[in-house]
Amino acid sequence: MDPLPMDSGTVDELVDFCIQSFDSEGTIKDTSFVKMFLMMHPWYIASTDLSKKLLTEDIRAKICHLVKYWISEFPVEFDLNPALADQIKDLRENLNTGGNETQSQLIDVESVPSYKWKRQVTQRVPSMSKRRKMSLLFDHLDPCELAEHLTYLEYKSFCKIMFQDYHSFVMHGCTVDNPILERFITLFNSVSQWIQLMVLSKPTAPQRAAVIAHFLQVAQVRNSNLVLLYISKQLQTPLP
């Protein structure tokens, strides 16, 4: 099978290339291309439309293996898109009705976990108790400790962002109805404003310079921490 670049060919040709990347036993010949196509397809075809293209083909083992791979690699897409999940359920039911139980077992969308917990945005509940005074100086933390705290906050927020959030932002040009991405941007802006406040809170130039030097050290540590953050996100593994 000749290689087919992502920037060439029609959608039908790309879909067929993905189907042909599997053999009848489910062995995949081009993992990188198929995974990239399944990840990026929403830019030029809706997931439900992609599913319809697969369902209009003569249902054979290769298509079932492709759908199985799609579910295993991007389960969140089926959890957040009920219409897509229903299409796969209908396909599975048709396979069962036609006596193709073996192929039907390959596309069990019922086993997809719920990602509702990941989409929840923490709500701050006003406390009825007496308000406590809190310090935002963090003078007791050295640069490494402060960098770790900031990286952890960003990591927890960043892990909630999904491809659908980026796609929504690009398509709409704003974060309306996109609370996860909006919260991440707010966190970034809040940290920037807090650093400005810490610098400007000092009355003399030497003191402000010392604060700037402190945060420069924090930034140096954070740069290496952020590399780990993005790698961890890609591998879906927790930070050490």
Side-chain angles (χ1 to χ4, degrees), residues 73-90:
E73 291 296 320
F74 305 99
V76 64
E77 190 165 358
F78 296 85
D79 179 57
L80 299 180
N81 192 339
L84 175 62
D86 287 341
Q87 288 177 333
I88 303 305
K89 291 175 183 177
D90 290 341

Side-chain angles (χ1 to χ4, degrees), residues 6-76:
M6 282 290 278
D7 59 353
S8 68
T10 65
V11 173
D12 288 336
E13 289 173 333
L14 294 173
V15 171
D16 185 65
F17 185 87
C18 288
I19 294 173
Q20 299 305 326
S21 294
F22 293 84
D23 62 20
S24 58
E25 300 300 322
T27 302
I28 185 171
K29 304 172 185 177
D30 194 338
T31 304
S32 59
F33 180 90
V34 175
K35 189 171 184 177
M36 182 63 68
F37 174 77
L38 294 176
M39 178 187 296
M40 303 303 294
H41 75 269
W43 292 112
Y44 41 87
I45 181 174
S47 296
T48 49
D49 292 335
L50 173 58
S51 177
K52 289 177 182 177
K53 284 185 175 294
L54 295 176
L55 303 187
T56 55
E57 298 270 350
D58 292 332
I59 300 303
R60 54 191 187 275
K62 289 185 177 182
I63 292 181
C64 292
H65 285 301
L66 174 58
V67 174
K68 177 185 177 182
Y69 185 81
W70 189 5
I71 295 173
S72 65
E73 291 296 320
F74 305 99
V76 64

